[in-house]
Amino acid sequence: MAKVKTQFVCQSCGSAAPKWLGRCPDCGAWNSYQEETCAAEPAAARGWSGQAAATHPVRLAEIEAATGHPIPIGIGELDRVLGGGLIPGSMVLLGGDPGIGKSTIALQALAHLAGNGHRGLYATGEESAAQVKRRALRLGVDPEQSVFILTENTVDAVARAIQDLNPTICIIDSIQTIYSSALTSAPGTVSQLREVTTQLLYLTKARPMATLLIGHVTKDGTLAGPKVLEHMVDTVLYFEGERGHQYRLLRAVKNRFGSTNELGVFEMTGEGLREVSNPSELFLAERPAHAAGSVVIAPLEGTRPMLVELQALVSHSGLANPRRTVIGVEGARVGLLIAVLERITGLALHDQDVFVNVAGGLKIAEPASDLGIVTAIASSFRNRPVPERTVVIGEVGLTGEVRAVVGLETRMTEAHKLGFRRAIVPKGQAGIKGPKGMELTTAGNVAEALECLS
Ligand code: TYD
Ligand code: MG
């Protein structure tokens, strides 16, 4: 018998080495190497392609255009994030924390499609058929609809079901629990994820079916398994929300068929997820009205803009060294900004305690929120609220100048979508056109910014 060949694979980025390494030389992750069996042959070589007919080059004109049209799911917020609906032959990856509602939204999407005469397959390696049925009934799914449940863990079983049923949509819940018996490594390892996804990709591309993969995320919020998965699929969606809150945000971080700027807002109810058609009201409602020290900023998370409330409290200190307590932003940065405020605008903060907090427990490491921090501190010190529906964007330099930020348009689009109508932006970016209905106020330095806010 041939010797089984193994290699060590980084579970974070997918790079391989013949020996175990404590730290991945490619991505820098510690203790991420695991021993895995090498696949004997790539999936395609084992007759998985199923694309025999398409292996010769074809003219653009001969390609059936029909496969390019999205099939609307019927859940508006989801369709918008997807770019109109599901494209036949495409693969979507949906990531999110446990319990956020990935399985729920998948099942609801399936039910909506089934209601429009499409056939749907839900392959789960996590729950029993009875559990899925109970959830489906709770969501109000008609049990007579063409929703088929498969409780299997092997990709071969899923492939057989796809070939038998020919569904319009196939949901895999979750990709980490499905494995290929051709490999001996455990489900969820890089080799398995790559192998299973490749096989499903071939099946998907060969027929007018869309596949939705549900993926777990790691503690730091990225999809478990390497970036490999994100590269293979057409669309990557993230489902996020705060613990204890019933609101859920759906964003696309990659989309070959649409924009990645769309944001879908849902509310988790007793009967599943409900679309929130007016998110601006929702987000404004969470903020205290006319409160001094509260400012809305628009940090970018990777490529994703997000509107966040930043709060500052300035109060007289009896201490020789006044307190500078900061949660959610960098302490050193706040210290620097306080110094700039004192020097440039003459604000006497030397005998004041300053507290800065990012509402909702978020962490912001972006200089583009500098102007927001400065504004919040000044607003609290002067006890003057920042005008309503105003978002503050800009980096602050040591001489008090307001510097340009990347992705200003994206940030403003997000703010506009959430109901904001005025943006304080860096003077250097005055040429950038904001979304229709957004009033732009430019500030060249901190003093100017504070002036136009009071
Ligand atoms: P689920 O879709 O199982 O999350 P995931 O697949 O992302 O792990 O959602 C589970 C949570 O949602 C669970 O805590 C209960 C809650 N929930 C509701 O509040 N209402 C509902 O109708 C359903 C189905 C779930
Ligand atoms: Mg689930």
Side-chain angles (χ1 to χ4, degrees), residues 94-114:
L94 172 66
D97 286 333
I100 203 81
K102 301 181 295 295
S103 306
T104 307
I105 198 164
L107 208 51
Q108 283 182 280
L110 211 57
H112 268 89
L113 282 166

Side-chain angles (χ1 to χ4, degrees), residues 97-104 135 138-139 173 268-272:
D97 286 333
I100 203 81
K102 301 181 295 295
S103 306
T104 307
R135 186 202 298 259
R138 181 170 167 191
L139 298 174
D173 190 1
M268 182 60 98
T269 68
E271 289 85 43

Side-chain angles (χ1 to χ4, degrees), residues 125 327 374 434 449:
I327 303 168
V374 166

Side-chain angles (χ1 to χ4, degrees), residues 384-430:
R384 260 189 243 149
V386 171
E388 271 192 28
R389 295 174 181 256
T390 303
V391 60
V392 182
I393 307 166
E395 180 179 343
V396 173
L398 283 185
T399 61
E401 82 276 19
V402 177
R403 294 165 163 249
V405 300
V406 292
L408 183 61
E409 270 172 303
T410 330
R411 299 175 204 253
M412 286 196 291
T413 309
E414 180 89 346
H416 185 263
K417 201 164 169 281
L418 295 183
F420 288 76
R421 292 296 173 260
R422 188 176 175 208
I424 312 292
V425 299
K427 198 168 223 157
Q429 290 177 298

